[in-house]
């Protein structure tokens, strides 16, 4: 009798670990945080859907001549988005899901960090700041694209918290995003720079860039001074500098260079992404997506899908001496004499040179089913030049020093013309007016996903895009119909 106990009834599950036990060590909290970064890699293709995030913004604007592909039936929702005829049944549910996957994972960190009693105060603050920056990043994309969205910071479980999450207005979502970023940018929470083995995690200055982007798109004048102060701190930190040769930014060696504030990492080895598992870490399919179809030559990958024909108007907007034109836009006839490809819809002979699938760009991939999925081109999210131009714009909008704003703008232009600010010719200088800044954003960040949102916040979208059917009610994409249905009538559809 004394040999029998009930201890054998109290065993840990062999398949799953209870939440209260999983998040009990600093190492496990770090794993949870890194898991919250993973959906950043899913912005090219997941859930059976192509949704390259930069591309979506740019096809809504004027820098591509069209969507490309074999026909308008080739990824039809992209063509409908370009034409401002998207419908709820074809709205990008894969992107929506990927972004909410990111929100869920960030919430897992913020909601469980108190279970880890052994975290130091500094580690706790940093992990929380990173998780809340990630949550803000995922929500800010949902906010930019859809505006009025379900918003939650505690994951629903269907018991204590309903799966039907209340919808917030775009203004409410903005304020909540700002709350996360104000917390994350608390002095001392995020480091100014990360260790070599942590490259790809948010530092303080990347959070500053995100916050400035959100504030400026919202047009929140009350926050302009604080956003400008943070950008001036970034500029004055003596950490970042413009890369002298613009083309170098887009090479392997240009990843995480002196100009890079934040990038999304991709790698061709180790790499496990393929058609059956696009959620595994690895490379990107975006370069294949952009590469000319049936290319015959030596400079680029032969397997390309031919999306994203660049408009001739964009190419011709550059001065002939501006190095950004030929570094960012591939003029096929000029660069590839004697080589060929199969033209696709709206072809112009111009392609996105920044992210195109260069020969050998997945050369270290060792798998068999996903070579086209595993190009190692990092996505450049925030560059130092954007900090300079954003600071110039905010200086103008807050009535600051015109000379200071001019110098910030012309520092970017000086790099474009292979010189210094002091030696930039008068003919190449521009005063920092809002019109000149909008044009410089276009030239500097062409095909990087900025253009549509720049036109919106400068009040130029209706004027510039009217010929394609853009009106004010097209500002936000329609919410996917499947989400409307799941919400049982609690979501209000955008008036697209």
């Amino acid at each position: 009798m004394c040999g029998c106990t009930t201890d054998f009834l109290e065993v840990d599950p062999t398949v799953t670990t209870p939440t209260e036990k999983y998040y009990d060590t600093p190492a496990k909290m770090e794993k949870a945080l890194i898991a919250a970064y993973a959906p950043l890699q899913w912005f090219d293709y997941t859930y059976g859907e192509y949704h390259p995030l930069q591309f979506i913004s740019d096809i809504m604007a004027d820098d591509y001549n069209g969507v490309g592909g074999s026909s308008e039936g080739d990824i039809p929702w992209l063509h409908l988005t370009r034409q401002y005829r998207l419908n709820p049944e074809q709205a990008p549910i894969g992107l929506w899901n990927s972004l909410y996957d990111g929100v869920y994972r960030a919430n897992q960190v913020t909601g469980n960090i108190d279970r880890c009693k052994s975290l130091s105060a500094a580690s706790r603050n940093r992990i929380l700041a990173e998780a809340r920056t990630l949550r803000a990043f995922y929500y800010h994309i949902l906010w930019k694209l859809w505006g009025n969205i379900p918003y939650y910071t505690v994951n629903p479980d269907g018991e204590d918290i309903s799966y039907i999450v209340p919808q917030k207005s775009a203004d409410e979502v903005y304020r909540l995003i700002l709350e996360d970023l104000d917390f994350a940018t608390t002095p001392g929470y995020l480091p100014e720079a990360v260790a070599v083995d942590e490259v790809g995690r948010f530092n303080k200055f990347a959070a500053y860039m995100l916050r400035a982007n959100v504030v400026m798109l919202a047009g929140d004048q009350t926050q302009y001074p604080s956003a400008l102060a943070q950008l001036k701190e970034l500029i004055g930190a003596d950490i970042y500098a413009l890369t002298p040769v613009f083309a170098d930014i887009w090479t392997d060696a240009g990843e995480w260079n002196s100009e890079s504030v934040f990038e999304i990492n991709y790698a061709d080895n180790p790499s496990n992404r393929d058609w059956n598992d696009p959620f595994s870490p690895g490379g990107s399919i975006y370069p294949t997506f952009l590469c000319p179809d049936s290319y015959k030559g030596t400079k680029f990958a032969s397997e390309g899908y031919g999306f994203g024909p660049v408009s001739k108007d964009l190419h011709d907007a550059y001065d002939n001496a501006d190095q950004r034109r030929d570094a960012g836009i591939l003029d096929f006839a000029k660069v590839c004499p004697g080589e060929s490809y199969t033209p696709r819809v709206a072809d112009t002979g111009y392609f996105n040179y920044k992210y195109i699938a260069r020969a050998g760009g997945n050369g270290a991939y060792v798998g068999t089913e996903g070579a086209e999925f595993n190009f190692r081109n990092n996505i450049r999210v925030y560059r130092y030049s954007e900090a300079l131009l954003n600071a110039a714009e905010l200086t103008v909008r807050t009535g600051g020093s015109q000379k200071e704003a001019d110098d910030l703008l012309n520092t970017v232009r000086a790099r474009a013309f292979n010189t210094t600010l002091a030696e930039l010719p008068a003919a190449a200088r521009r005063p920092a007016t809002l019109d000149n800044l909008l044009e410089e954003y276009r030239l500097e960040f062409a095909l990087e996903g900025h253009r549509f949102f720049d036109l919106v916040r400068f009040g130029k979208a209706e004027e510039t895009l009217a010929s394609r059917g853009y009106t004010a009610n097209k500002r936000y994409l329609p919410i996917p119909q499947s989400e409307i249905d799941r919400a049982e009538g609690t979501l209000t559809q955008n008036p697209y």
Side-chain angles (χ1 to χ4, degrees):
M1 290 179 64
C2 64
C4 295
T5 74
T6 60
D7 289 349
F8 69 94
L9 297 175
E10 299 172 5
V11 296
D12 290 332
T14 58
V15 178
T16 60
T17 302
T19 297
E20 63 270 16
K21 292 189 177 180
Y22 181 79
Y23 298 97
D24 60 354
T25 69
K28 289 176 181 176
M29 287 308 310
E30 287 280 346
K31 286 183 179 180
L33 176 64
I34 298 307
Y37 277 93
L40 295 176
Q41 288 193 325
W42 304 349
F43 295 160
D44 53 354
Y45 178 94
T46 46
Y47 292 104
E49 174 189 280
Y50 292 96
H51 41 242
L53 194 56
Q54 294 176 305
F55 191 72
I56 293 170
S57 167
D58 284 330
I59 61 171
M60 290 195 291
D62 53 346
D63 286 348
Y64 283 116
N65 192 51
V67 173
S70 61
S71 69
E72 290 195 1
D74 194 352
I75 315 182
W77 80 266
L78 287 174
H79 292 271
L80 293 172
T81 299
R82 166 84 180 174
Q83 299 159 7
Y84 293 104
R85 297 192 299 116
L86 190 62
N87 58 69
E89 287 75 16
Q90 292 183 291
I93 184 63
L95 179 58
W96 175 282
N97 287 341
S98 293
L99 291 164
Y100 276 110
D101 282 342
V103 168
Y104 178 89
R105 292 176 180 218
N107 286 345
Q108 287 292 91
V109 177
T110 61
N112 289 291
I113 196 167
D114 286 340
R115 298 181 187 277
C116 185
K117 306 301 183 184
S118 57
L119 273 175
S120 68
S123 293
R124 184 182 189 281
N125 289 340
R126 181 183 175 186
I127 290 172
L128 268 180
E130 282 188 74
R132 293 185 69 168
T133 303
L134 279 164
R135 184 167 68 197
F137 189 84
Y138 294 125
Y139 269 131
H140 108 279
I141 298 169
L142 287 158
W143 169 71
K144 286 201 302 185
L145 291 174
W146 283 283
N148 313 293
I149 57 171
Y151 183 100
Y152 55 96
T153 57
V154 179
N155 290 330
D157 57 10
E159 296 178 0
D160 296 328
I161 304 173
S162 171
Y163 286 127
I164 297 178
V165 177
Q167 185 178 27
K168 303 285 188 183
S169 71
D171 287 345
E172 290 175 307
V173 174
Y174 163 71
R175 288 192 291 271
L176 292 164
I177 292 170
L178 205 61
E179 283 183 16
D180 270 344
L181 293 173
D182 285 343
F183 174 88
T185 55
T186 300
Y189 281 14
L190 289 173
E192 290 191 353
V194 299
V196 173
D197 62 351
E198 294 179 338
V199 168
R201 292 172 62 170
F202 276 102
N203 64 19
K204 176 176 72 173
F205 295 123
Y208 283 0
M209 292 294 295
L210 173 57
R211 187 177 184 277
N213 270 238
V214 170
V215 165
M216 294 168 76
L217 183 57
D220 186 353
Q221 296 180 26
T222 67
Q223 296 297 327
Y224 285 173
S226 61
L228 178 57
Q230 289 179 338
L231 292 172
K232 286 184 174 181
E233 182 185 343
L234 184 161
I235 293 165
D238 199 27
I239 293 175
Y240 304 102
L242 295 177
T243 304
V245 179
F246 191 79
D248 288 350
I249 297 170
W250 314 103
T251 64
D252 287 349
E255 294 181 348
W256 293 107
N257 65 13
S258 63
E259 184 165 344
S260 181
V261 180
F262 189 70
E263 300 183 12
I264 296 173
N265 290 334
Y266 286 103
D268 55 340
N269 190 1
S271 183
N272 297 310
R273 291 190 88 195
D274 59 32
W275 295 106
N276 295 316
D277 187 9
F279 303 99
S280 285
S284 171
I285 201 169
Y286 189 41
T288 301
F289 185 85
L290 296 171
C291 204
D293 178 57
S294 303
Y295 169 72
K296 301 294 188 298
T298 60
K299 299 178 181 66
F300 308 107
S302 60
E303 176 66 19
Y305 301 159
F307 285 89
V310 176
S311 79
K312 188 175 185 298
D313 286 345
L314 173 62
H315 178 272
D316 294 349
Y318 290 89
D319 187 285
N320 286 335
D322 190 330
Q323 64 165 315
R324 296 174 296 189
R325 183 190 68 186
D326 292 344
I329 300 172
L330 169 65
D331 180 343
F332 191 90
K334 177 181 176 181
V335 175
C336 306
E339 300 182 347
S340 66
Y341 67 95
T342 300
R344 307 205 95 183
V345 173
D347 179 67
T348 60
Y350 298 114
F351 297 89
N352 183 337
Y353 214 166
K354 295 177 178 179
Y355 288 105
I356 199 167
R358 290 174 168 82
N362 60 351
Y365 177 68
V366 297
T368 58
E369 301 294 331
E372 63 270 47
F373 242 112
N374 286 288
F375 281 83
R376 57 181 177 265
N377 306 55
N378 282 6
I379 296 294
R380 281 64 166 177
V381 179
Y382 299 126
R383 297 195 279 112
Y384 180 58
S385 57
E386 185 176 357
L388 296 173
L389 292 179
N390 284 354
E393 180 187 339
L394 288 172
T395 298
V396 172
R397 291 189 185 274
T398 55
S401 164
Q402 186 64 47
K403 181 183 183 306
E404 185 175 341
D406 291 348
D407 284 351
L408 289 163
L409 167 60
N410 287 308
T411 295
V412 175
R413 289 186 61 77
R415 189 268 298 276
F417 289 91
N418 296 287
T419 188
T420 63
L421 176 61
E423 297 178 352
L424 182 66
R429 291 178 179 268
R430 297 288 183 272
T433 64
L434 293 180
D435 285 344
N436 285 343
L437 283 161
L438 177 59
E439 180 64 12
E440 202 63 32
Y441 281 121
R442 185 187 193 194
L443 300 176
E444 179 69 17
F445 303 109
L447 314 175
E448 295 181 54
H450 290 232
R451 180 65 171 165
F452 175 74
F453 298 109
D454 287 343
L455 289 172
V456 166
R457 67 189 182 80
F458 276 82
K460 300 288 188 179
E462 290 184 66
E463 171 189 335
T464 305
L465 306 173
S467 63
R468 290 219 316 277
Y470 180 83
T471 55
N473 65 307
K474 306 289 187 179
R475 168 63 186 89
Y476 296 119
L477 299 179
I479 295 171
Q481 187 60 45
S482 58
E483 294 303 301
I484 297 288
D485 295 341
R486 289 190 185 105
E488 300 178 5
T490 63
L491 290 184
T492 301
Q493 182 60 273
N494 289 327
Y496 189 83

